[in-house]
Amino acid sequence: MKRATIVTMLLMLSIVVAKADTRRVLFDAGWQFTQNGKTVTVDLPHDWDIYAGPDAKSGATGTGGGWYPGGKGEYRKTFKTPDGEVVRLHFEGVYQKAEVFINGQKAGQHAYGYTPFTIDITPYLHQDKPNEVLVKVDNSEQPNCRWYSGSGIYRHVWLITSPALHIAENGVYISTPMVNDDEATVQVEVTVENASDVERTATVMVGAESMPIIVPAKGLKTDTLTFNIRNPRLWSPDTPILYEVRAMLKEQGKMVDSQLTRFGVRHIYCDSRYGFQLNYMPLLINGACVHHDDGILGAMAFDAAEIRKVRLMKDAGFNLIRTSHNPPSRAFLDACDSIGMLVIDEAFDGWRQAKTPYDYSTLIDSCYREDIHAMVRRDRNHPSVICWSIGNEVMERKDIRVVTTARKMKDAIKDYCCERPVTEALCSWDSDWEIYDPHAEVLDIAGYNYMLHKHASDHERDPLRVILQTESFPRDAWRNWQTVEDYSYVIGDIVWTGLDYLGESGIGRYYYDGDTPGEHYVEGGQPEWHGAYCGDVDITGWRKPISHYRELLWNRDTAPALYMAVKEPDGYYGSIRETAWSVWPTWESWTWNGWEGKPVEVEVYTSLPSVRLYLNDRLVGEQQSAECKAVFTLPYQPGTLRAEGVTEEGQPVSVSLSTAGEPCQIRLTADKSTFLADGQDLIYVTVEILDRNGLVCPDAAIPLTATVKGAGSLLSFASADLKDTDVYTDAHCTTWKGHALLAVRSTAKSGTVSLTVKGDGLSQSQLNLNATNRR
């Protein structure tokens, strides 16, 4: 239905229909990757770190990077010179310090690993023989990042050809300065580039509107066309309706170029009196910080992986993602637009004072404007992006010159987009919070990392300040939700984090006596870990109980009325110790063998006034809910645990957990049965260990082997155990808590894909999938 809506709206806006733009060709296939004297053929996206695996003894990226190797690598590819007066290579992301050579000549370079860049390769091309592109990637200066970055050409590459007179890259900017239910004013700013040596005259067309322009030789020309949409369908997380506009360029009556741009019609506003409003309606922000990696795939930004990441956060009840702490991929923002997810688009982690020896502090003065412009010009048409962020917990915050830096960053954003507020995540690790008022004054929205307890005194001192908690501890879900509910000037809470991620090893962990004690940032780090366990959702996509609790707080009308989980008994595996970003280990399990007769604490998350708990059909007790939670303590015995309640409409609801038996079988569940035979599409398959009754065995840690045959290949196979150092791209995996996840990648051929997973003592499981050429 949404696609039909989009097509209808495209027809409404475009009276003149141009041919589809076919000048962007995906350039991902058939690269020769060389590292340490060894050469293999790879198809992009590619991340050499994830193929190497973590090693706490030799991993140069250290505890922050997950103990992965980093290093240097080279990518080569041959290609014929395409038709077109201007030929460019567009790189969506290379980590990092990329140098691009064409036929042995250096054509360009780009330092920052998270922003896209384009190289004009026209002057270096052969006309009578094949060309070679060489991309040198240098991620050897370590550490340079506080989380897992990956290494290599980890996002897409495109070969772009165009006439000398063409619509510039990211040259169409669509804004909606006036929006109401009856009408929306749409402004389309079009920038035309002239790569020729002579002045050119042309006409820009958008639907029925047109405008003549004169473009100087080797120059740019920008003009704006305006039209109205009557009775617009407004974009929001609940109604992610998208429009399309095709800007067309004519010269001497002939169509020479066109560019199709997708956008949404929506209105955003915030102040301290009315809070955050979307389309003139108040909206409380329930956000998640999300790093750029895709879990078991490392940094490889396949479109399907980015879509899945957004869908996981949407299904967990979040309405906003903060892209901590760097610009995301194009596919990620496309997914946010179409699925319905608000975004804070963040540029940098730090500024001039280093957090790690080789971080952005080494690049800022020469690169910050280029990188901010790259982010803003690419992302400004996405309706999902409601705010820009210029930094996170910058180290020089006590130096008054930081205010000047913040202003320069904000000005760089305003060079290309004035319609969105700008924020920055501020923090204090001592008692000097109030001295940052001049810094906060620069921002349209003041981001608070773990500082929401200061909101009342800050509001008294500065009643116009709009506050957004840009990072919070997972366990503070109730308190933060209540604060946002009660105070209009606090517009939302963003938890650290929505998803578990690689790097920042051990943050969010709980541990037992005998493990390395302390937080993740202790001297020497946590070498047993290679990832962060602070997410509401783990890297296999399993929602932890805290995720269900948070969803219930923020989405009481749509979240399930009951959810039940059991706190791991202290002493079952050892004495439990928590850390700052952890929550108590809690599981969807009523299998605690050997704990019979000892106390177990059961948590029921509910929007109902009271809950009854039964064990083997005998009433344990009834509890009134407090803070959307009912807690029961009872001696463990095997069987079935059932929680019951009654809705306001008088409907009974219940949830149950049953004791699992011994592992005997494997269940494979694919997120879809068919994928595109383009070498890029993915199917994710959840792997579960079951007993003979089909119950998940919650303690099963069983080595498995996966085999993929036919029109697909095994891309990755891993569990959510961030202490397991098995290489994710290997065919072997040991389940954790009875679960694992594997990803199958399509090839360029259609046909059947056969997946088999087997393990000792278990009946093997097989799944047939289908690769098709049809979209």
Side-chain angles (χ1 to χ4, degrees), residues 70 250 253 331 474:
K250 282 188 172 183

Side-chain angles (χ1 to χ4, degrees), residues 423-481:
T423 190
E424 179 194 337
L426 307 177
C427 74
S428 176
W429 298 332
D430 52 31
S431 59
D432 287 340
W433 172 251
E434 286 74 15
I435 71 172
Y436 306 132
D437 281 358
H439 192 165
E441 187 69 21
V442 176
L443 308 171
D444 304 306
I445 298 172
Y448 281 38
N449 280 11
Y450 314 102
M451 297 301 297
L452 197 56
H453 58 282
K454 290 283 191 178
H455 75 87
S457 58
D458 288 358
H459 181 65
E460 184 176 355
R461 194 173 63 256
D462 183 2
L464 297 181
R465 182 180 297 179
V466 179
I467 296 171
L468 172 62
Q469 182 155 248
T470 37
E471 289 183 25
S472 65
F473 295 112
R475 65 168 68 101
D476 291 340
W478 169 265
R479 183 176 65 187
N480 294 331
W481 168 80

Side-chain angles (χ1 to χ4, degrees), residues 123 184 228 287 340 396 617 724 774:
N228 294 326
E396 63 268 39
D617 294 325
D724 186 344
R774 296 180 180 178

Side-chain angles (χ1 to χ4, degrees), residues 67 199 327 399 584 665 693:
W67 311 103
E199 182 181 271
D399 184 337
W584 191 274
Q665 57 183 317
N693 295 318

Side-chain angles (χ1 to χ4, degrees), residues 373-523:
H373 288 170
M375 175 185 76
V376 173
R377 295 188 74 242
R378 184 197 65 175
D379 300 347
R380 58 189 175 171
N381 288 320
H382 289 278
S384 56
V385 177
I386 60 159
C387 184
W388 308 108
S389 175
I390 54 178
N392 174 68
E393 299 179 355
V394 298
M395 299 298 288
E396 63 268 39
R397 54 186 171 270
K398 290 191 177 184
D399 184 337
I400 193 61
R401 290 175 295 182
V402 76
V403 177
T404 298
T405 304
R407 286 175 179 156
K408 288 181 177 180
M409 297 276 186
K410 185 177 180 180
D411 288 345
I413 287 174
K414 299 301 182 182
D415 286 343
Y416 287 102
C417 179
C418 296
E419 286 75 32
R420 293 172 173 90
V422 174
T423 190
E424 179 194 337
L426 307 177
C427 74
S428 176
W429 298 332
D430 52 31
S431 59
D432 287 340
W433 172 251
E434 286 74 15
I435 71 172
Y436 306 132
D437 281 358
H439 192 165
E441 187 69 21
V442 176
L443 308 171
D444 304 306
I445 298 172
Y448 281 38
N449 280 11
Y450 314 102
M451 297 301 297
L452 197 56
H453 58 282
K454 290 283 191 178
H455 75 87
S457 58
D458 288 358
H459 181 65
E460 184 176 355
R461 194 173 63 256
D462 183 2
L464 297 181
R465 182 180 297 179
V466 179
I467 296 171
L468 172 62
Q469 182 155 248
T470 37
E471 289 183 25
S472 65
F473 295 112
R475 65 168 68 101
D476 291 340
W478 169 265
R479 183 176 65 187
N480 294 331
W481 168 80
Q482 194 171 48
T483 301
V484 176
E485 278 274 320
D486 291 346
Y487 300 95
S488 62
Y489 58 85
V490 181
I491 64 173
D493 174 54
I494 307 175
V495 69
W496 189 269
T497 55
L499 285 163
D500 285 351
Y501 56 95
L502 303 183
E504 205 163 5
S505 305
I507 185 175
R509 73 185 185 122
Y510 60 90
Y511 63 96
Y512 304 107
D513 284 351
D515 293 342
T516 303
E519 298 290 341
H520 64 287
Y521 50 73
V522 298
E523 185 69 26

Side-chain angles (χ1 to χ4, degrees), residues 332-359:
F332 176 88
L333 292 178
D334 285 345
C336 291
D337 290 345
S338 61
I339 292 172
M341 180 66 71
L342 305 176
V343 175
I344 294 178
D345 203 346
E346 190 153 274
F348 312 117
D349 182 25
W351 294 347
R352 287 192 166 82
Q353 187 172 332
K355 297 181 180 181
T356 62
Y358 299 101
D359 64 11

